[in-house]
Amino acid sequence: MENSKNLEVFQAKIDAEIKIEPKDWMPDEYRQHLIRQMSQHAHSEVIGMQPEGNWITRSPSLRARKILMAKVQDEGGHGLYLYCATETLGVTREQLIQWLHEGKAKYASVFNYPSPTWADMGAIGWLVDGAAIVNQVSLQRTSYGPYSRAMVRICKEESFHQRQGYEIMATLMEGTAEQKKMAQEAFERWWWPSLMMFGPHDGDSPRSSNAMKWKIKRETNDDLRQQFIDKTIPQAELIGLKIPDANYKLLENGSYETSDIDWDEFWNVIKGNGPCNTQRIKQHAAAHDNGQWVREAAIAYNEKKEQQLKSA
Ligand code: 3HC
């Protein structure tokens, strides 16, 4: 079928809420948009393991260490689902990793901030995973089949991540004055970077129009951000945290009005000038190089197994 007919069939499937599968015809622009977004999502999951991984050996109890280890392992698994889903679009894992190391692919700017105290583990789980849940629950309805199914699987684990973070914050807020101060300071470090996770305002989001047309995104950046704000402010107030925004206010419709994000900081961190950008990529590249022998061994093992099966 010529392209215009293909395009008609493609958009009709999108409009009829029929998932687009790897073997289906799709416009190259749709394919490239998905490769970009899904690989950046996968990179975010894996890079996001760094700020938390630093605290596994420094957790305040065996229970806390077990929970944090489980969470960090989950994030590695989320990265795996998303890399595998991205590979169905005809791009190799090696290529995706190379684009990340070359700075041609992004990851969530939120992970370019340091995690100096144990309270940051609480704030990351509660706020960063909390924001990710809002975004990912919506992405479960994305039009690309493998991405949608990866989201369904990931969302099942994210609620544990958010809840364990909130438990850390609630526990600290019932503690000593010093622990309360540590929790409040962590909240102030992670509140605004978590709001940035939803991307630029709708009017400034160059990707959103195609993303909405192709039902890659099902809700806009600002709508999702507002859902997160409306859910999170009451949680903060419930445990006695002070919202790090002097201008926030509860509106009659039950939603909250807040100050605007510092978009200069947003774009500056995305451009590579955040507190931890260099360290995060350096650590990722070193871990990737150190893991070369594991990948080679796994490939050799699989090839041997395949030969044995063929000759059986
Ligand atoms: N961090 C880094 N880059 C960001 C960003 C952020 N918070 N928000 C936007 N950007 C980038 C976009 O990637 C885009 O750049 P590009 O064209 O080079 O890719 C540019 O800024 C313009 O933004 P747009 O809104 O036009 O781009 P999108 O339509 O792609 O929207 C998005 C950005 C909301 C991040 C969207 O890509 C998305 O929903 N991605 C999937 C979700 C995701 O990646 N979440 C990461 C969270 S990490 C995580 O979930 C781990 C959890 O376990 C804690």
Side-chain angles (χ1 to χ4, degrees), residues 33 36-46 48-49 52 71 74-75 78 82 104-112 124-125 127-133 135-136 139 147 151 154 158 161 193-202 204-209 211-212 216-217 219-221 224-225 263 266-267 269-270:
H33 188 116
R36 177 194 59 84
Q37 176 169 327
M38 290 167 66
S39 60
Q40 290 179 175
H41 198 159
H43 296 329
S44 304
E45 299 280 2
V46 173
M49 295 163 80
E52 293 173 313
K71 185 203 188 284
D74 280 353
E75 307 299 7
H78 296 176
L82 286 162
K104 290 186 180 133
K106 296 184 169 71
Y107 56 91
S109 58
V110 70
F111 295 122
N112 288 314
I124 289 175
L127 297 172
V128 176
D129 287 76
I133 288 173
N135 176 293
Q136 291 169 163
L139 279 171
Y147 196 19
M151 284 296 101
I154 287 173
E158 288 293 5
H161 299 174
S194 303
L195 298 189
M196 294 174 188
M197 285 173 66
F198 295 95
H201 279 315
D202 297 348
D204 305 324
S205 169
R207 302 276 184 176
S208 279
S209 53
M212 296 298 281
I216 293 173
K217 274 186 188 176
E219 292 162 276
T220 69
N221 297 356
L224 292 172
R225 191 176 1 253
W263 294 108
F266 172 80
W267 291 113
V269 173
I270 287 184

Side-chain angles (χ1 to χ4, degrees), residues 189-256:
R189 271 195 292 278
W190 294 93
W191 173 248
W192 294 107
S194 303
L195 298 189
M196 294 174 188
M197 285 173 66
F198 295 95
H201 279 315
D202 297 348
D204 305 324
S205 169
R207 302 276 184 176
S208 279
S209 53
N210 273 345
M212 296 298 281
K213 179 179 78 174
W214 291 325
K215 295 187 181 177
I216 293 173
K217 274 186 188 176
R218 303 311 304 260
E219 292 162 276
T220 69
N221 297 356
D222 285 330
D223 286 349
L224 292 172
R225 191 176 1 253
Q226 192 62 53
Q227 286 175 38
F228 172 69
I229 289 168
D230 292 347
K231 192 173 82 152
T232 308
I233 287 181
Q235 290 171 351
E237 292 178 328
L238 182 69
I239 59 176
L241 285 166
K242 191 171 170 299
I243 309 301
D245 176 358
N247 305 317
Y248 89 101
K249 64 177 179 217
L250 179 60
L251 302 173
E252 276 178 24
N253 66 359
S255 208
Y256 287 89

Side-chain angles (χ1 to χ4, degrees), residues 14 19-22 26 30-45 77-89 106 108 132-156 158 197 211 214-219 221 224:
I14 297 274
K19 293 290 180 224
I20 304 299
E21 296 299 337
M26 61 185 85
Y30 176 82
R31 184 187 301 275
Q32 295 311 319
H33 188 116
L34 285 169
I35 288 174
R36 177 194 59 84
Q37 176 169 327
M38 290 167 66
S39 60
Q40 290 179 175
H41 198 159
H43 296 329
S44 304
E45 299 280 2
H78 296 176
L80 184 64
Y81 306 149
L82 286 162
Y83 282 128
C84 292
T86 311
E87 286 170 327
T88 64
L89 290 157
K106 296 184 169 71
I133 288 173
V134 172
N135 176 293
Q136 291 169 163
V137 162
S138 179
L139 279 171
Q140 288 179 127
R141 293 183 296 119
T142 191
S143 57
Y144 187 56
Y147 196 19
S148 164
R149 292 186 289 272
M151 284 296 101
V152 170
R153 173 74 190 267
I154 287 173
C155 285
K156 291 187 193 322
E158 288 293 5
M197 285 173 66
W214 291 325
K215 295 187 181 177
I216 293 173
K217 274 186 188 176
R218 303 311 304 260
E219 292 162 276
N221 297 356
L224 292 172

Side-chain angles (χ1 to χ4, degrees), residues 87-130:
E87 286 170 327
T88 64
L89 290 157
V91 61
T92 64
R93 184 84 53 92
E94 290 68 26
Q95 177 64 76
L96 298 174
I97 301 294
Q98 186 188 328
W99 283 333
L100 173 68
H101 291 165
E102 289 171 350
K104 290 186 180 133
K106 296 184 169 71
Y107 56 91
S109 58
V110 70
F111 295 122
N112 288 314
Y113 292 84
S115 50
T117 72
W118 175 249
D120 291 88
M121 294 304 100
I124 289 175
W126 171 44
L127 297 172
V128 176
D129 287 76

